[in-house]
């Protein structure tokens, strides 16, 4: 039976555009209440808030996600305003196209911080609230680079492998708390990230951010006895893992 998500509370990270914005808007269509967490481009965040508020209530909390105190402040504001949490979507992330030999410590640390450390500790801080929810779900946006190796993506690939490893342990550790944990591993999605990294790609035939948002909605709407751990998403006309 389809779940009624009306009034359920979701925190989505990295909602200034791309997959994060599409997800916030899709969940807003289900009348969930949405926290837009993180991001320094206030104009982009404001546009997402405008889209979400056409459907539902919205809290926008900008800032650098790597600041652990900002996470505490966001949860405090959320509890103060709405009193709980049901869904966490760890979406924010960055990529890096650089040969292994030239990748710097600063680049490595930055990518591990946003792609691994942020979801790890944001989820840790979310768990006490999720334990009180009947719809508790964590969704981590991994990537096909969590499964395969691509040249020039050693740091990005390492970060997404780490995120997937974290996801698996989290799922096992909190299974008995009735917290569902899912990973989605998309191939190339037509967002700013891909437009910058692969300017040769055109939108034709590409996965769109709305496709990923629809899969997230599917996870939340279908909370039956059949648990889907991970969905790997690739293009219609490409073999899996070829972007
Ligand atoms: N696009 C793809 O082909 C693809 C494929 C597989 C997986 N993914 C994953 O999907 C997720 C979303 O990516 P996207 O393609 O939608 O890219 P995007 O449009 O570039 O969005 C990335 C988001 O993360 C936010 N972000 C990055 N670093 C941050 C930080 N330190 N503090 C706060 N916010 C930060 C950005 O905020 P600002 O707007 O403020 O910069 C932006 O909203 C990422 O985890 C990515 O690895 C993407």
């Amino acid at each position: 039976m389809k779940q009624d998500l009306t009034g359920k509370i979701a925190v989505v990270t990295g909602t200034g555009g791309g997959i994060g914005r599409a997800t916030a808007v899709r969940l807003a269509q289900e009348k969930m209440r949405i926290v837009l967490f993180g991001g320094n481009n206030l104009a982009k965040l404001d546009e997402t808030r405008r889209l979400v508020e056409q459907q539902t209530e919205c809290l926008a909390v900008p800032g650098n996600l790597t600041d652990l105190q900002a996470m505490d402040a966001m949860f405090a504001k959320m509890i103060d305003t709405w009193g709980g949490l049901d869904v966490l979507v760890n979406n924010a992330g960055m990529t890096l196209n650089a040969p292994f030999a030239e990748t710097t410590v600063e680049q490595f640390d930055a990518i591990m911080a946003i792609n691994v450390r942020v979801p790890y500790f944001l989820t840790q801080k979310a768990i006490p609230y999720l334990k009180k929810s009947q719809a508790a779900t964590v969704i981590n946006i991994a990537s096909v680079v969590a499964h395969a190796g691509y040249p020039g993506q050693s740091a990005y690939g390492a970060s997404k492998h780490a995120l997937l490893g974290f996801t698996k342990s989290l799922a096992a550790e909190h299974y008995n708390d009735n917290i569902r944990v899912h990973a989605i591993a998309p191939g190339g999605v037509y967002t700013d990230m891909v437009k910058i990294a692969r300017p040769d790609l055109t939108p034709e035939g590409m996965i769109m951010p709305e496709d990923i948002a629809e899969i997230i909605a599917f996870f939340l709407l279908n909370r039956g006895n059949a648990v889907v751990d991970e969905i790997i998403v690739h293009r219609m006309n490409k073999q899996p893992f070829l972007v």
Side-chain angles (χ1 to χ4, degrees):
M1 196 180 80
K2 286 273 184 288
Q3 302 295 304
D4 179 7
L5 301 176
T6 308
K8 297 275 187 287
I9 298 153
V11 171
V12 186
T13 64
T15 55
I19 296 170
R21 175 182 286 168
T23 300
V25 169
R26 179 65 186 87
L27 300 187
Q29 288 166 1
E30 296 297 328
K31 306 296 177 203
M32 295 181 75
R33 293 175 282 179
I34 315 290
V35 182
L36 311 175
F37 185 38
N40 295 310
N41 187 326
L42 297 186
K44 283 166 69 181
L45 202 62
D46 247 20
E47 173 60 8
T48 308
R49 184 225 292 258
R50 191 188 66 76
L51 293 168
V52 168
E53 282 182 340
Q54 289 174 358
Q55 304 283 347
T56 186
E57 293 173 62
C58 182
L59 271 181
V61 184
N64 189 344
L65 287 169
T66 59
D67 174 1
L68 268 67
Q69 286 177 342
M71 296 178 186
D72 293 330
M74 180 277 293
F75 282 128
K77 193 170 177 186
M78 178 197 73
I79 292 298
D80 206 36
T81 314
W82 294 328
L85 174 69
D86 301 288
V87 173
L88 173 62
V89 183
N90 286 308
N91 164 73
M94 62 181 280
T95 188
L96 175 71
N97 260 311
F100 165 63
E102 292 168 20
T103 301
T104 65
V105 171
E106 290 74 21
Q107 287 173 321
F108 182 86
D109 286 349
I111 206 161
M112 294 306 276
I114 185 71
N115 292 4
V116 186
R117 189 174 176 271
V118 165
Y120 191 94
F121 287 103
L122 189 61
T123 306
Q124 191 182 75
K125 290 172 185 292
I127 290 289
Y129 308 116
L130 291 173
K131 279 183 176 176
K132 296 180 186 156
S133 164
Q134 293 307 304
T137 310
V138 177
I139 296 171
N140 291 337
I141 307 299
S143 165
V144 289
V145 309
H147 291 275
Y150 297 88
Q153 307 226 323
S154 56
Y156 185 53
S159 75
K160 292 296 186 179
H161 272 71
L163 180 65
L164 194 58
F166 159 55
T167 308
K168 290 175 183 172
S169 277
L170 183 72
E173 215 168 302
H174 287 285
Y175 176 78
N176 288 331
D177 294 320
N178 198 25
I179 300 175
R180 297 284 170 96
V181 181
H182 310 281
I184 300 177
V189 184
Y190 201 64
T191 67
D192 285 353
M193 183 179 282
V194 145
K195 289 176 207 167
I196 293 162
R198 292 282 305 272
D200 55 306
L201 293 177
T202 57
E204 289 76 42
M206 292 281 294
I207 303 164
M208 300 310 275
E210 291 73 19
D211 295 324
I212 306 301
E214 199 56 46
I215 292 167
I216 291 172
F218 172 88
F219 280 140
L220 301 179
L221 288 165
N222 297 278
R223 196 185 170 90
N225 289 333
V227 179
V228 182
D229 291 327
E230 182 188 13
I231 290 187
I232 299 171
V233 191
H234 60 89
R235 292 166 67 177
M236 275 291 289
N237 53 350
K238 292 272 185 185
Q239 289 171 20
F241 304 124
L242 286 182
V243 179

CSV table of all heavy atoms in Angstrom, one decimal, residues 23 31 43 49 63 80 87 95 117 129 186 207 233:
chain,number,residue,atom,x,y,z
A,23,THR,N,14.7,16.8,-5.9
A,23,THR,CA,14.2,16.0,-4.8
A,23,THR,C,13.3,16.8,-3.9
A,23,THR,O,12.2,16.4,-3.5
A,23,THR,CB,15.4,15.4,-4.0
A,23,THR,OG1,16.1,14.6,-4.9
A,23,THR,CG2,14.9,14.5,-2.9
A,31,LYS,N,3.5,16.8,-0.3
A,31,LYS,CA,3.1,17.6,0.9
A,31,LYS,C,3.9,17.2,2.1
A,31,LYS,O,3.4,17.4,3.2
A,31,LYS,CB,1.6,17.4,1.2
A,31,LYS,CG,0.7,17.7,0.0
A,31,LYS,CD,0.8,19.2,-0.4
A,31,LYS,CE,-0.1,19.5,-1.7
A,31,LYS,NZ,0.4,20.6,-2.4
A,43,ALA,N,20.9,32.8,-3.9
A,43,ALA,CA,20.0,33.0,-5.0
A,43,ALA,C,19.4,31.7,-5.4
A,43,ALA,O,18.2,31.5,-5.6
A,43,ALA,CB,20.6,33.8,-6.1
A,49,ARG,N,13.5,27.3,-2.6
A,49,ARG,CA,12.5,27.5,-1.6
A,49,ARG,C,11.2,28.0,-2.2
A,49,ARG,O,10.1,27.6,-1.8
A,49,ARG,CB,13.0,28.6,-0.6
A,49,ARG,CG,12.1,28.8,0.6
A,49,ARG,CD,11.9,30.3,0.9
A,49,ARG,NE,13.1,30.9,1.4
A,49,ARG,CZ,13.3,31.2,2.6
A,49,ARG,NH1,12.4,30.9,3.5
A,49,ARG,NH2,14.4,31.8,3.0
A,63,GLY,N,24.4,27.5,4.3
A,63,GLY,CA,25.7,27.4,5.1
A,63,GLY,C,26.6,26.3,4.6
A,63,GLY,O,26.2,25.5,3.8
A,80,ASP,N,12.3,22.8,16.8
A,80,ASP,CA,11.6,24.0,17.3
A,80,ASP,C,10.4,24.3,16.4
A,80,ASP,O,9.3,24.6,16.9
A,80,ASP,CB,12.6,25.2,17.3
A,80,ASP,CG,12.2,26.2,18.3
A,80,ASP,OD1,11.7,25.7,19.4
A,80,ASP,OD2,12.3,27.4,18.0
A,87,VAL,N,12.8,11.9,7.3
A,87,VAL,CA,13.6,11.5,6.2
A,87,VAL,C,14.8,12.4,6.0
A,87,VAL,O,14.7,13.6,6.2
A,87,VAL,CB,12.8,11.6,4.9
A,87,VAL,CG1,13.6,11.3,3.6
A,87,VAL,CG2,11.6,10.6,4.9
A,95,THR,N,32.5,16.8,-7.0
A,95,THR,CA,33.3,15.9,-7.8
A,95,THR,C,34.7,16.5,-8.1
A,95,THR,O,34.9,17.7,-7.8
A,95,THR,CB,32.6,15.5,-9.1
A,95,THR,OG1,33.4,14.4,-9.7
A,95,THR,CG2,32.5,16.6,-10.1
A,117,ARG,N,32.3,12.7,5.2
A,117,ARG,CA,32.2,13.2,6.6
A,117,ARG,C,30.9,13.8,6.9
A,117,ARG,O,30.2,13.6,8.0
A,117,ARG,CB,33.4,14.2,6.9
A,117,ARG,CG,33.6,14.6,8.3
A,117,ARG,CD,34.8,15.4,8.4
A,117,ARG,NE,35.1,16.0,9.7
A,117,ARG,CZ,34.6,17.2,10.1
A,117,ARG,NH1,33.8,17.9,9.3
A,117,ARG,NH2,34.9,17.6,11.3
A,129,TYR,N,16.3,11.4,16.3
A,129,TYR,CA,15.0,11.9,15.8
A,129,TYR,C,14.3,10.8,14.9
A,129,TYR,O,13.1,10.5,15.0
A,129,TYR,CB,15.1,13.1,15.0
A,129,TYR,CG,15.9,14.2,15.7
A,129,TYR,CD1,17.1,14.7,15.2
A,129,TYR,CD2,15.4,14.8,16.9
A,129,TYR,CE1,17.8,15.7,15.9
A,129,TYR,CE2,16.1,15.8,17.6
A,129,TYR,CZ,17.3,16.2,17.1
A,129,TYR,OH,18.0,17.2,17.7
A,186,PRO,N,23.7,6.8,-9.2
A,186,PRO,CA,23.4,7.2,-10.6
A,186,PRO,C,24.6,7.2,-11.5
A,186,PRO,O,25.7,7.5,-11.0
A,186,PRO,CB,22.8,8.6,-10.5
A,186,PRO,CG,22.7,8.9,-9.0
A,186,PRO,CD,23.6,7.9,-8.3
A,207,ILE,N,20.3,10.9,-18.0
A,207,ILE,CA,19.4,10.9,-16.8
A,207,ILE,C,19.2,12.3,-16.4
A,207,ILE,O,20.1,13.1,-16.3
A,207,ILE,CB,20.1,10.1,-15.7
A,207,ILE,CG1,20.5,8.6,-16.1
A,207,ILE,CG2,19.2,10.0,-14.4
A,207,ILE,CD1,21.5,7.9,-15.2
A,233,VAL,N,21.5,3.4,-11.3
A,233,VAL,CA,20.7,4.0,-12.4
A,233,VAL,C,21.6,4.3,-13.6
A,233,VAL,O,22.6,5.0,-13.4
A,233,VAL,CB,20.1,5.4,-12.0
A,233,VAL,CG1,19.1,5.9,-13.0
A,233,VAL,CG2,19.5,5.2,-10.6
